[in-house]
């Protein structure tokens, strides 16, 4: 029997682009079903991430127009990662495979064919990897590439140039549901689940409409989240740095003692000031990094829900999404 596919699409203030891309997703679903690769029960699942514009109304209209469109709405904006998680967890028991993709048309929909083929060949996870970033601005390309390199240097293993366009089987999702962390960094967590995986490369286009929600500030926040939720390497670096400074201090003490004994001491105001400024600056940075981890522990211990679904386009009692 053909596998049931759910395409999971997070949407935040996307009224401009949704009417353009939604039919493209449906068309892809239809063509995959026509090829016999997926079943007719497959769906396009939109996750409204607390949008302030008409996004949810558009999703409801789509759901009313075709049973293959379905949607869930989060009670408020929780961010891209939580929106994707909400969609994946919703889809987990209803399908065999999920593909998560942004709703702005930047990721090549045609790569889904290869992803499904890879699944049919026995892969449980298929990562979409950007082959080129020619359409991105120099700044976006540079910051995005630095992002991956910095993550790798800090011990957070991620698939290079892979964002959140990926196929995950329901089997992997069921295991993934046991990863209960509140600090979500999906692209780092999915590889930790394991199972057979592969990559499919595609070229990234420009947004079809609307604006990016990932300015530099959010990218830095995502990088910090990624590193601190996947790795404790920064803490080890601090320890290493502490040892290096301690060694230097020891040499400094010896030098000062010898100089004092030889009676060669002079008023060293400048050197003292520099050392005090430098060391106190370093200490503050180190405290900040440790604080970041403590903050993470604090949030994790609360065990707050990672998403709250307030509405669905189908009746909950009727577990066949699409019959509105
Ligand atoms: N998104 C979301 N919640 C947010 C921000 C973004 O669900 O708080 C969605 C957005 O609608 C889009 C995807 O995440 O489908 C990626 O966002 P965007 O295209 O703005 O990021 P970029 O591609 O520029 O990195
Ligand atoms: Mg985008």
């Amino acid at each position: 029997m053909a596998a049931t596919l759910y395409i999971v699409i997070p949407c935040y203030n996307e009224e401009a682009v949704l009417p353009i891309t939604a039919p493209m997703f449906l068309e892809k679903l239809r063509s995959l079903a026509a090829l016999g690769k997926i079943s007719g029960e497959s769906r396009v699942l939109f996750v409204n991430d607390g949008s302030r514009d008409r996004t949810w109304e558009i999703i409801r209209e789509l759901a009313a127009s075709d049973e293959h469109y379905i949607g869930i709405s989060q009670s408020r904006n929780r961010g891209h990662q939580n929106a994707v998680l909400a969609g994946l967890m919703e889809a987990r028991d209803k399908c065999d495979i999920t593909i998560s993709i942004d709703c702005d048309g930047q990721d090549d929909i045609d790569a889904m064919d290869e992803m499904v083929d890879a699944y049919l060949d026995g892969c449980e996870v298929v990562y979409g990897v950007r082959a080129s970033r020619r359409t991105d601005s120099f700044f976006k390309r540079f910051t995005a590439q630095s992002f991956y390199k910095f993550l790798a240097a800090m011990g957070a293993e991620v698939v290079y140039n892979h964002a959140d366009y990926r196929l995950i089987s329901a089997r992997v999702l069921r295991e993934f549901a046991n990863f209960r962390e509140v600090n979500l960094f999906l692209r780092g967590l999915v590889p930790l689940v394991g199972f057979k995986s592969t990559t499919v490369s595609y070229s990234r286009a420009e947004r079809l409409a609307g604006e990016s929600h990932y300015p530099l500030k959010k990218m830095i926040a995502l990088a910090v989240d990624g590193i601190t939720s996947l790795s404790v390497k920064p803490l080890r670096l601090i320890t290493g740095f502490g040892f290096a400074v301690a060694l230097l201090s020891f040499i400094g003490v010896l030098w000062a003692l010898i100089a004092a004994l030889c009676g060669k001491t002079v008023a060293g105001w400048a050197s003292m000031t520099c050392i005090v400024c430098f060391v106190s600056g370093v200490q503050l940075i180190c405290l900040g990094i440790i604080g970041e981890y403590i903050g993470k522990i604090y949030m994790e211990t609360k065990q707050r829900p990672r998403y709250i679904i307030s509405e669905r386009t189908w009746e909950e009692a009727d577990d066949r999404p699409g019959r509105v």
Side-chain angles (χ1 to χ4, degrees):
M1 210 185 78
T4 300
L5 166 70
Y6 269 46
I7 303 179
V8 174
I9 308 168
C11 308
Y12 175 56
N13 292 348
E14 299 285 12
E15 64 179 5
V17 79
L18 207 51
I20 308 172
T21 50
M24 293 162 61
F25 293 121
L26 183 59
E27 192 43 48
K28 180 49 63 187
L29 210 65
R30 289 226 167 93
S31 77
L32 284 168
L35 290 169
K37 291 182 182 176
I38 59 170
S39 78
E41 290 297 301
S42 301
R43 296 284 179 267
V44 179
L45 169 61
F46 296 104
V47 183
N48 172 37
D49 187 20
S51 301
R52 272 175 256 275
D53 63 2
R54 287 194 65 251
T55 302
W56 181 235
E57 279 89 81
I58 296 173
I59 293 173
R60 290 174 64 120
E61 283 160 25
L62 287 167
S65 71
D66 191 306
E67 63 168 7
H68 292 96
Y69 287 127
I70 55 172
I72 56 177
S73 186
Q74 293 222 82
S75 58
R76 53 160 294 174
N77 179 249
R78 295 291 299 269
H80 176 216
Q81 299 287 297
N82 296 69
V84 175
L85 179 79
L88 293 179
M89 291 299 120
E90 186 73 29
R92 162 175 60 139
D93 300 320
K94 302 185 176 73
C95 65
D96 304 303
I97 30 176
T98 59
I99 294 181
S100 53
I101 185 169
D102 293 351
C103 78
D104 55 12
Q106 280 192 283
D107 302 321
D108 181 13
I109 293 177
D110 291 331
M112 285 188 191
D113 291 82
E114 268 185 74
M115 287 184 170
V116 174
D117 286 344
Y119 168 78
L120 297 175
D121 279 346
C123 289
E124 302 276 346
V125 181
V126 187
Y127 302 100
V129 174
R130 290 167 200 173
S132 82
R133 282 181 173 269
R134 255 174 292 133
T135 53
D136 280 356
S137 68
F138 172 77
F139 182 71
K140 175 88 190 181
R141 196 163 58 219
F142 177 76
T143 47
Q145 271 164 3
S146 315
F147 172 87
Y148 290 105
K149 292 199 176 121
F150 186 58
L151 281 177
M154 286 294 137
E157 286 289 319
V158 286
V159 180
Y160 189 67
N161 260 344
H162 158 69
D164 283 293
Y165 184 19
R166 74 177 87 75
L167 177 148
I168 311 182
S169 71
R171 184 171 162 213
V172 171
L173 283 179
R174 281 192 283 275
E175 299 300 332
F176 183 60
N178 295 325
F179 284 59
R180 305 235 46 99
E181 49 227 274
V182 181
N183 295 291
L184 269 187
F185 188 63
L186 293 174
R187 62 187 94 165
L189 288 177
V190 176
L192 294 181
V193 188
F195 292 95
K196 192 171 174 211
S197 68
T198 187
T199 56
V200 162
S201 68
Y202 67 95
S203 55
R204 184 157 155 100
E206 275 179 72
R207 233 176 194 281
L208 293 179
E211 278 176 11
S212 168
H213 304 95
Y214 271 96
L216 186 62
K217 202 171 132 213
K218 270 205 190 172
M219 271 189 49
I220 293 173
L222 189 66
V224 171
D225 263 359
I227 293 162
T228 49
S229 60
L230 292 177
S231 151
V232 289
K233 199 164 169 188
L235 293 177
R236 295 218 181 101
L237 288 179
I238 291 179
T239 315
F241 195 75
F243 274 114
V245 173
L247 186 70
L248 279 179
S249 315
F250 182 67
I251 295 169
V253 168
L254 283 184
W255 169 62
L257 276 179
I258 293 168
L261 286 176
C262 298
K264 282 186 193 157
T265 39
V266 283
W269 180 83
S271 58
M272 280 315 289
T273 313
C274 291
I275 292 169
V276 170
C277 290
F278 174 71
V279 174
S280 51
V282 167
Q283 277 183 338
L284 277 183
I285 295 174
C286 295
L287 269 180
I289 296 177
I290 297 169
E292 183 71 28
Y293 280 94
I294 295 177
K296 284 268 148 76
I297 299 169
Y298 177 61
M299 295 313 287
E300 294 293 348
T301 52
K302 288 175 188 283
Q303 298 202 326
R304 286 185 181 149
R306 296 180 288 180
Y307 57 87
I308 297 169
I309 297 170
S310 57
E311 273 178 89
R312 290 176 169 82
T313 55
W314 69 94
E315 292 293 325
E316 268 241 71
D318 179 2
D319 64 350
R320 293 163 303 157
R323 329 246 161 200
V324 279

